[in-house]
Amino acid sequence: MTLRRKLLDVWATGKSGVAIATLLGLLILLLRTPLERWSYDLPYLIRPQATISEVAIVHLDDVSHQALNQPYDGAWDRTNHAELVEVLTEAGARAIAFDILFNDEGRNPAANLKFANAVRKNGKVVLASDLGTGDYYAYAIDLRPMLPNSTLLAATPYYGFDQLMPDPDDCIRRHLHDVATIQSLSWSLATMLNAEVTKHPGSASEERWLNYYGPRDTIPHLSYAQALNRNDPAVKDFFRNRVVFIGSA
């Protein structure tokens, strides 16, 4: 084979390689979003089950609705929330996060005040706010945030929005922490706990992906009604030194 022929063969092979690489590159660009999701989802299939000891959830579940005679279509009596904070305070919970919006005084101002006093006494409670109207995914400037009731805000400086950022398949994979200078509920909680990540300027705006503990029910949880049993030593042991999230089941 002549040198010229060898060079032509090499050139032809090189062009084919470039064409294939270009095609793959275009395919990756077109499939970037699903590829990102697959690269995120697939490792969970082989991830070992985690043991969670630092976090707990209190659910406003069906059993609690019935046991405490609370409505499904309205706000709960905040006397219950006050009592729950007291129980968690006595149990030595590390922090409390309410994933419930308390943007008004509620049906009973006296109960709201009792709740505020319990929050103030604990000193480590984060409340939910809402971004209201506006396209918060696009960081619009016409947001109408709904903050916690003023009586509750006077009891704790810690609050944050509870919106999430779903992908097109409605799965939550990425954090949403900083929208129009408003902190998220979880970032406000991390700030209160003096987490290292919150000490760096602009850190809340960085892209981060959730690191799930595991499938549903991996995180230890109690029914709201069960959590109110302050005379049960097992309840106190369960909450001791844990960060406790409170919200709908």
Side-chain angles (χ1 to χ4, degrees):
M1 182 180 291
T2 64
L3 177 60
R4 182 172 181 275
R5 181 63 183 174
K6 288 182 178 179
L7 291 175
L8 288 174
D9 288 345
V10 171
W11 173 249
T13 303
K15 286 196 297 183
S16 299
V18 170
I20 293 172
T22 302
L23 182 61
L24 288 174
L26 290 173
L27 188 62
I28 289 172
L29 284 175
L30 291 173
L31 295 176
R32 177 184 175 186
T33 301
L35 283 175
E36 282 182 336
R37 294 180 201 151
W38 297 338
S39 67
Y40 176 88
D41 295 343
L42 292 177
Y44 281 105
L45 297 177
I46 58 174
R47 181 174 178 175
Q49 183 81 13
T51 300
I52 310 304
S53 60
E54 70 274 18
V55 180
I57 298 174
V58 173
H59 285 148
L60 283 72
D61 56 5
D62 289 335
V63 172
S64 300
H65 274 282
Q66 297 167 12
L68 300 174
N69 194 28
Q70 296 301 302
Y72 281 94
D73 58 351
W76 283 27
D77 185 343
R78 292 182 191 174
T79 301
N80 292 312
H81 299 320
E83 185 178 357
L84 179 58
V85 172
E86 291 171 357
V87 169
L88 295 175
T89 301
E90 293 170 4
R94 187 179 176 203
I96 303 170
F98 276 92
D99 190 13
I100 304 169
L101 181 63
F102 304 108
N103 62 316
D104 57 25
E105 198 173 36
R107 295 174 295 173
N108 184 347
N112 187 59
L113 181 59
K114 183 176 181 180
F115 181 31
N117 289 335
V119 168
R120 182 181 293 105
K121 182 178 179 180
N122 179 279
K124 293 287 185 178
V125 179
V126 181
L127 303 175
S129 62
D130 192 288
L131 290 173
T133 60
D135 182 9
Y136 51 85
Y137 298 128
Y139 292 70
I141 61 173
D142 62 340
L143 298 175
R144 300 289 187 274
M146 291 185 286
L147 303 183
N149 166 256
S150 58
T151 301
L152 295 172
L153 275 183
T156 176
Y158 303 108
Y159 64 91
F161 66 80
D162 58 2
Q163 274 85 358
L164 303 171
M165 184 165 59
D167 283 332
D169 61 354
D170 291 329
C171 182
I172 309 298
R173 294 180 177 87
R174 288 174 292 171
H175 286 270
L176 182 67
H177 283 314
D178 185 20
V179 177
T181 69
I182 303 172
Q183 289 185 347
S184 70
L185 177 69
S186 53
W187 193 265
S188 184
L189 174 63
T191 301
M192 183 183 72
L193 294 175
N194 204 30
E196 185 63 31
V197 69
T198 64
K199 300 176 184 178
H200 309 294
S203 185
S205 300
E206 295 179 11
E207 181 176 290
R208 287 188 175 84
W209 292 66
L210 286 166
N211 183 9
Y212 278 98
Y213 288 112
R216 181 181 176 87
D217 293 334
T218 296
I219 299 176
H221 55 275
L222 282 183
S223 166
Y224 195 110
Q226 186 180 2
L228 287 180
N229 189 358
R230 64 203 310 162
N231 295 320
D232 185 350
V235 171
K236 290 187 176 181
D237 289 341
F238 178 79
F239 288 124
R240 184 170 293 111
N241 204 35
R242 290 184 191 258
V243 176
V244 182
F245 287 84
I246 303 160
S248 172

